[in-house]
């Protein structure tokens, strides 16, 4: 049996898996963000509740692991930030532990059980609060010992102007330490930032998308700029990886017309000519009785390792 976790700054969700077709939720609890002993005890409680012999534990987490040191960078959970988390948890739980980036887990889930099934190269992306991604080739996560591969949201890739007609895009600092990252303007908070910059008004991403779909001119301008900003770095990522499908997760993935607009723009900017959709909403969660893709991806990675 595998026990897997989706670890967020607010809540821990757990599931148990006997095989790829049998992944069942174990429940959720608040994340002990500041107490490592309590954090370990929370995971151990779910492992005990699963019953039977647990062969692996796998964590999907919003952080990246340095492949050379094994240390995790996870700003929203201080008690595990900077730790060699897989080694520390393995020692405390007495079970081998896998720690993976949540976007990587999403990509694995979509490649195995979602929109990427049947594709050799799957580039799964997150358009949520921010921007992330993971790359799966032949069913295996690229750079599985760290969370850096596929991170197209970081790096100086945002254009200096975007939209029709073009508007100047300022160089914005990113929490990662760089500037002009896709993450600064590409996700839901980025959409809201664009609206504030252009229209001097605060509006939620949900309200902007709804207004766009209703034909509002100001919201239409924001979506035009956002799609333009996202399409070029995503097209470059597709050209470099050779991905034949790009499933999208995160909150913005639920806005199907927005993903369709991004798909059309990306397909116009890649070398390969495709008549079918390339950038598509992820389907793994809908196909798995509401389990988070992070849980599913973590389970699949642990099952493969075991």
């Amino acid at each position: 049996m595998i026990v897997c976790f989706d670890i967020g700054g607010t809540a821990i969700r757990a599931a148990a898996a006997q095989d790829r077709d049998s992944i069942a939720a174990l429940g959720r609890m608040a994340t002990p963000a500041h107490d490592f002993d309590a954090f370990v005890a929370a995971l151990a409680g779910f492992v005990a509740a699963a019953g039977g012999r647990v062969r692996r534990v796998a964590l999907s987490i919003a952080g990246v692991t340095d492949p050379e040191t094994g240390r995790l960078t996870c700003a929203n959970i201080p008690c595990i930030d900077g730790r060699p988390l897989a080694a520390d948890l393995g020692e405390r739980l007495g079970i081998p532990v896998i720690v993976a980036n949540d976007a990587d887990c999403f990509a694995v889930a979509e490649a195995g059980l979602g929109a990427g099934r049947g594709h050799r190269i799957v580039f799964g992306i997150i358009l949520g609060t921010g921007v992330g991604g993971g790359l799966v080739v032949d069913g295996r996560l690229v750079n599985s010992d760290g969370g850096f591969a596929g991170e197209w949201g970081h790096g100086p890739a945002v254009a200096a102007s975007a939209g029709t007609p073009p508007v100047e895009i300022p160089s914005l600092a990113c929490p990662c330490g760089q500037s002009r990252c896709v993450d600064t303007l590409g996700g839901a908070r980025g959409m809201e930032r664009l609206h504030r910059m252009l229209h001097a008004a605060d509006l939620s991403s949900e309200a902007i998308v709804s207004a766009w779909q209703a034909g509002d001119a100001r919201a239409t301008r924001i979506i035009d700029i956002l799609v333009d900003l996202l399409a070029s770095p995503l097209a470059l990522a597709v050209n470099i990886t050779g991905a034949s499908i790009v499933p999208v997760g995160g909150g913005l993935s639920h806005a199907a017309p927005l993903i369709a607009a991004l798909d059309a723009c990306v397909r116009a900017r890649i070398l390969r000519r495709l008549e079918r959709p390339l950038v598509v909403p992820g389907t793994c969660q809908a196909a798995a009785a509401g389990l988070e893709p992070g849980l599913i991806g973590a389970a699949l990675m642990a099952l493969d390792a075991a």
Side-chain angles (χ1 to χ4, degrees), residues 90-111:
E91 181 179 352
R92 296 283 291 268
L93 297 174
I95 305 168
V97 173
I98 295 170
V99 176
N101 173 263
D102 54 354
D104 286 345
C105 289
F106 168 78
V108 170
E110 288 296 329

Side-chain angles (χ1 to χ4, degrees), residues 154 172-179 181:
H154 295 281
L172 299 174
C174 181
C176 77
Q178 301 191 76
S179 60
C181 290

